[in-house]
Short mmCIF file of all heavy atoms in Angstrom, two decimals:
data_model
loop_
_atom_site.label_atom_id
_atom_site.label_comp_id
_atom_site.label_asym_id
_atom_site.label_seq_id
_atom_site.Cartn_x
_atom_site.Cartn_y
_atom_site.Cartn_z
N LYS A 13 -40.85 71.42 300.61
CA LYS A 13 -40.89 72.21 301.75
C LYS A 13 -39.48 72.73 302.16
O LYS A 13 -39.36 73.84 302.57
CB LYS A 13 -41.50 71.48 302.94
CG LYS A 13 -43.01 71.17 302.80
CD LYS A 13 -43.61 70.44 303.93
CE LYS A 13 -45.08 70.19 303.77
NZ LYS A 13 -45.67 69.45 304.86
N SER A 14 -38.52 71.83 301.98
CA SER A 14 -37.07 72.37 302.34
C SER A 14 -36.58 73.37 301.23
O SER A 14 -36.08 74.48 301.66
CB SER A 14 -36.25 71.16 302.31
OG SER A 14 -34.89 71.52 302.54
N ALA A 15 -36.90 73.13 300.04
CA ALA A 15 -36.36 73.94 298.95
C ALA A 15 -37.01 75.33 298.75
O ALA A 15 -36.39 76.44 298.88
CB ALA A 15 -36.43 73.26 297.62
N VAL A 16 -38.42 75.31 298.91
CA VAL A 16 -39.23 76.46 298.84
C VAL A 16 -39.10 77.28 300.12
O VAL A 16 -39.15 78.51 300.10
CB VAL A 16 -40.58 76.15 298.36
CG1 VAL A 16 -41.51 77.42 298.29
CG2 VAL A 16 -40.67 75.53 297.00
N GLY A 17 -39.14 76.54 301.30
CA GLY A 17 -39.08 77.14 302.53
C GLY A 17 -37.86 77.92 302.80
O GLY A 17 -37.83 78.78 303.71
N ALA A 18 -36.87 77.61 302.02
CA ALA A 18 -35.65 78.23 302.17
C ALA A 18 -35.57 79.63 301.58
O ALA A 18 -34.57 80.56 301.71
CB ALA A 18 -34.39 77.46 301.69
N LEU A 19 -36.48 79.95 300.71
CA LEU A 19 -36.55 81.34 300.01
C LEU A 19 -36.89 82.46 301.04
O LEU A 19 -37.59 82.31 301.94
CB LEU A 19 -37.60 81.19 298.92
CG LEU A 19 -37.36 80.25 297.76
CD1 LEU A 19 -38.60 80.22 296.80
CD2 LEU A 19 -36.07 80.63 297.00
N GLU A 20 -36.38 83.64 300.64
CA GLU A 20 -36.60 84.80 301.54
C GLU A 20 -38.14 85.07 301.50
O GLU A 20 -38.82 85.20 300.57
CB GLU A 20 -35.86 85.91 300.96
CG GLU A 20 -35.97 87.15 301.81
CD GLU A 20 -35.09 88.32 301.11
OE1 GLU A 20 -34.45 88.16 300.23
OE2 GLU A 20 -35.23 89.46 301.71
N GLY A 21 -38.48 85.34 302.75
CA GLY A 21 -39.96 85.72 302.97
C GLY A 21 -40.98 84.63 302.87
O GLY A 21 -42.19 84.96 303.15
N ILE A 22 -40.59 83.42 302.83
CA ILE A 22 -41.60 82.29 302.75
C ILE A 22 -41.47 81.64 304.15
O ILE A 22 -40.58 81.06 304.63
CB ILE A 22 -41.16 81.24 301.64
CG1 ILE A 22 -41.14 81.87 300.22
CG2 ILE A 22 -42.25 80.08 301.72
CD1 ILE A 22 -42.45 82.52 299.89
N ASP A 23 -42.68 81.76 304.84
CA ASP A 23 -42.78 81.26 306.27
C ASP A 23 -43.36 79.83 306.23
O ASP A 23 -43.19 79.04 307.20
CB ASP A 23 -43.48 82.16 307.09
CG ASP A 23 -42.79 83.49 307.27
OD1 ASP A 23 -41.58 83.56 307.20
OD2 ASP A 23 -43.52 84.48 307.57
N GLU A 24 -44.30 79.57 305.30
CA GLU A 24 -45.09 78.29 305.30
C GLU A 24 -45.10 77.76 303.87
O GLU A 24 -45.57 78.46 303.02
CB GLU A 24 -46.47 78.46 306.01
CG GLU A 24 -47.18 77.08 306.25
CD GLU A 24 -48.47 77.27 306.91
OE1 GLU A 24 -48.87 78.36 307.32
OE2 GLU A 24 -49.14 76.25 307.19
N VAL A 25 -44.94 76.43 303.71
CA VAL A 25 -45.21 75.76 302.41
C VAL A 25 -46.06 74.56 302.71
O VAL A 25 -45.73 73.63 303.49
CB VAL A 25 -43.75 75.31 301.87
CG1 VAL A 25 -43.98 74.64 300.60
CG2 VAL A 25 -42.78 76.38 301.71
N LYS A 26 -47.22 74.63 301.94
CA LYS A 26 -48.14 73.54 301.97
C LYS A 26 -47.94 72.71 300.57
O LYS A 26 -47.91 73.34 299.62
CB LYS A 26 -49.58 74.00 302.18
CG LYS A 26 -49.75 74.67 303.56
CD LYS A 26 -51.14 75.18 303.76
CE LYS A 26 -51.34 75.89 305.09
NZ LYS A 26 -52.74 76.39 305.20
N VAL A 27 -48.12 71.47 300.67
CA VAL A 27 -48.09 70.52 299.51
C VAL A 27 -49.32 69.86 299.32
O VAL A 27 -49.68 69.09 300.28
CB VAL A 27 -46.83 69.69 299.42
CG1 VAL A 27 -46.82 68.83 298.29
CG2 VAL A 27 -45.56 70.52 299.65
N ARG A 28 -49.97 70.03 298.32
CA ARG A 28 -51.27 69.29 297.95
C ARG A 28 -50.95 68.12 296.95
O ARG A 28 -50.51 68.39 295.90
CB ARG A 28 -52.39 70.15 297.37
CG ARG A 28 -53.66 69.44 297.05
CD ARG A 28 -54.56 70.37 296.22
NE ARG A 28 -54.99 71.43 297.10
CZ ARG A 28 -55.40 72.66 296.64
NH1 ARG A 28 -55.24 72.85 295.43
NH2 ARG A 28 -55.69 73.61 297.42
N MET A 29 -51.03 66.91 297.42
CA MET A 29 -50.46 65.80 296.66
C MET A 29 -51.67 64.92 296.23
O MET A 29 -52.40 64.45 296.87
CB MET A 29 -49.63 64.95 297.56
CG MET A 29 -48.85 63.90 296.71
SD MET A 29 -47.41 64.43 295.88
CE MET A 29 -46.35 64.98 297.16
N GLU A 30 -51.79 64.80 294.85
CA GLU A 30 -52.76 63.90 294.26
C GLU A 30 -52.04 62.64 293.64
O GLU A 30 -51.24 62.83 292.77
CB GLU A 30 -53.54 64.58 293.14
CG GLU A 30 -54.42 65.76 293.50
CD GLU A 30 -55.22 66.34 292.28
OE1 GLU A 30 -55.37 65.65 291.38
OE2 GLU A 30 -55.73 67.46 292.52
N ILE A 31 -52.42 61.60 294.24
CA ILE A 31 -51.63 60.34 293.98
C ILE A 31 -52.55 59.32 293.35
O ILE A 31 -53.64 59.03 293.75
CB ILE A 31 -51.08 59.68 295.18
CG1 ILE A 31 -50.23 60.57 296.03
CG2 ILE A 31 -50.32 58.44 294.95
CD1 ILE A 31 -49.86 60.24 297.35
N SER A 32 -52.05 58.84 292.01
CA SER A 32 -52.82 57.84 291.34
C SER A 32 -51.93 56.51 291.28
O SER A 32 -50.70 56.58 291.32
CB SER A 32 -53.04 58.21 289.92
OG SER A 32 -53.83 59.48 289.93
N GLN A 33 -52.60 55.47 291.39
CA GLN A 33 -52.02 54.09 291.23
C GLN A 33 -51.79 53.65 289.80
O GLN A 33 -52.73 53.75 288.99
CB GLN A 33 -52.80 53.04 292.00
CG GLN A 33 -52.87 53.29 293.46
CD GLN A 33 -51.60 52.91 294.24
OE1 GLN A 33 -50.83 52.16 293.82
NE2 GLN A 33 -51.26 53.74 295.16
N PRO A 34 -50.64 53.23 289.41
CA PRO A 34 -50.43 52.83 288.05
C PRO A 34 -51.15 51.52 287.76
O PRO A 34 -51.34 50.69 288.64
CB PRO A 34 -48.83 52.49 287.95
CG PRO A 34 -48.52 52.28 289.39
CD PRO A 34 -49.36 53.13 290.29
N LYS A 35 -51.67 51.59 286.53
CA LYS A 35 -52.51 50.26 286.25
C LYS A 35 -51.57 49.02 286.00
O LYS A 35 -52.11 47.93 286.10
CB LYS A 35 -53.29 50.51 284.84
CG LYS A 35 -54.36 51.63 285.09
CD LYS A 35 -55.18 51.84 283.86
CE LYS A 35 -56.23 52.90 284.08
NZ LYS A 35 -56.90 53.25 282.77
N GLN A 36 -50.32 49.35 285.66
CA GLN A 36 -49.39 48.24 285.45
C GLN A 36 -48.19 48.64 286.41
O GLN A 36 -47.74 49.76 286.33
CB GLN A 36 -48.89 48.07 284.08
CG GLN A 36 -49.89 47.51 283.06
CD GLN A 36 -49.32 47.19 281.82
OE1 GLN A 36 -48.11 47.16 281.65
NE2 GLN A 36 -50.09 46.80 280.90
N GLN A 37 -47.86 47.67 287.21
CA GLN A 37 -46.71 47.89 288.22
C GLN A 37 -45.40 48.35 287.50
O GLN A 37 -44.96 47.50 286.77
CB GLN A 37 -46.64 46.72 289.10
CG GLN A 37 -45.60 46.99 290.21
CD GLN A 37 -45.94 47.93 291.21
OE1 GLN A 37 -47.16 48.14 291.44
NE2 GLN A 37 -44.94 48.67 291.78
N PRO A 38 -44.87 49.57 287.73
CA PRO A 38 -43.65 49.87 287.08
C PRO A 38 -42.43 49.26 287.88
O PRO A 38 -42.63 48.75 288.91
CB PRO A 38 -43.68 51.42 287.24
CG PRO A 38 -44.44 51.73 288.45
CD PRO A 38 -45.46 50.65 288.51
N SER A 39 -41.35 49.39 287.37
CA SER A 39 -40.12 48.96 288.00
C SER A 39 -39.95 49.90 289.26
O SER A 39 -40.36 51.01 289.18
CB SER A 39 -38.92 49.16 287.02
OG SER A 39 -39.06 48.29 285.98
N PRO A 40 -39.28 49.33 290.28
CA PRO A 40 -38.99 50.17 291.47
C PRO A 40 -38.23 51.37 291.09
O PRO A 40 -37.44 51.48 290.29
CB PRO A 40 -38.17 49.28 292.34
CG PRO A 40 -38.44 47.90 291.86
CD PRO A 40 -38.70 47.94 290.45
N ALA A 41 -38.70 52.52 291.82
CA ALA A 41 -38.01 53.79 291.56
C ALA A 41 -36.52 53.66 291.83
O ALA A 41 -36.03 53.11 292.74
CB ALA A 41 -38.58 54.92 292.49
N GLY A 42 -35.79 54.05 290.79
CA GLY A 42 -34.29 54.19 290.84
C GLY A 42 -33.82 52.92 290.18
O GLY A 42 -32.50 52.81 290.05
N ALA A 43 -34.53 52.06 289.79
CA ALA A 43 -33.94 50.70 289.16
C ALA A 43 -33.32 51.10 287.85
O ALA A 43 -33.88 52.04 287.18
CB ALA A 43 -35.06 49.67 288.99
N ALA A 44 -32.40 50.43 287.36
CA ALA A 44 -31.83 50.70 286.12
C ALA A 44 -32.82 50.83 284.93
O ALA A 44 -33.46 49.81 284.68
CB ALA A 44 -30.75 49.73 285.89
N GLY A 45 -32.84 51.81 284.33
CA GLY A 45 -33.63 52.07 283.09
C GLY A 45 -35.08 52.37 283.43
O GLY A 45 -35.81 52.53 282.46
N SER A 46 -35.51 52.40 284.67
CA SER A 46 -36.89 52.72 284.89
C SER A 46 -37.17 54.22 284.84
O SER A 46 -36.32 54.98 285.08
CB SER A 46 -37.37 52.13 286.19
OG SER A 46 -36.56 52.69 287.31
N LYS A 47 -38.52 54.51 284.69
CA LYS A 47 -38.80 56.00 284.64
C LYS A 47 -40.09 56.06 285.34
O LYS A 47 -40.97 55.22 285.32
CB LYS A 47 -39.03 56.30 283.12
CG LYS A 47 -37.85 56.23 282.23
CD LYS A 47 -38.25 56.78 280.85
CE LYS A 47 -37.01 56.55 279.92
NZ LYS A 47 -37.32 57.05 278.51
N PRO A 48 -40.32 57.18 286.16
CA PRO A 48 -41.54 57.40 286.77
C PRO A 48 -42.72 57.62 285.83
O PRO A 48 -42.50 58.16 284.76
CB PRO A 48 -41.23 58.67 287.59
CG PRO A 48 -40.22 59.34 286.87
CD PRO A 48 -39.32 58.22 286.18
N ASN A 49 -43.92 57.34 286.26
CA ASN A 49 -45.20 57.66 285.41
C ASN A 49 -45.17 56.83 284.18
O ASN A 49 -45.99 57.17 283.28
CB ASN A 49 -45.34 58.97 285.15
CG ASN A 49 -45.57 59.81 286.44
OD1 ASN A 49 -45.99 59.37 287.42
ND2 ASN A 49 -45.37 61.20 286.35
N THR A 50 -44.36 55.72 283.92
CA THR A 50 -44.39 54.96 282.73
C THR A 50 -44.74 53.52 283.13
O THR A 50 -44.32 53.05 284.19
CB THR A 50 -43.14 54.97 281.88
OG1 THR A 50 -42.00 54.63 282.68
CG2 THR A 50 -43.01 56.54 281.41
N SER A 51 -45.39 52.74 282.20
CA SER A 51 -45.66 51.41 282.38
C SER A 51 -44.32 50.57 282.09
O SER A 51 -43.35 51.03 281.61
CB SER A 51 -46.75 50.95 281.63
OG SER A 51 -46.43 51.02 280.18
#
């Protein structure tokens, strides 16, 4: 919303978020060597 909303002529930004739970718990986001969306 911040990045797209800053564009010229854009008054409203809506985000539709589809969230799935991983079948195997991944490492915490940002942990060394971890990657999003991977087991």
Side-chain angles (χ1 to χ4, degrees):
K13 291 179 179 180
S14 176
V16 178
L19 296 175
E20 183 181 355
I22 303 299
D23 296 333
E24 184 175 5
V25 181
K26 296 180 180 179
V27 179
R28 179 187 297 151
M29 190 79 67
E30 294 185 20
I31 306 170
S32 301
Q33 292 292 321
K35 294 182 180 180
Q36 291 191 6
Q37 181 67 27
S39 299
S46 65
K47 299 179 181 180
N49 293 341
T50 56
S51 67

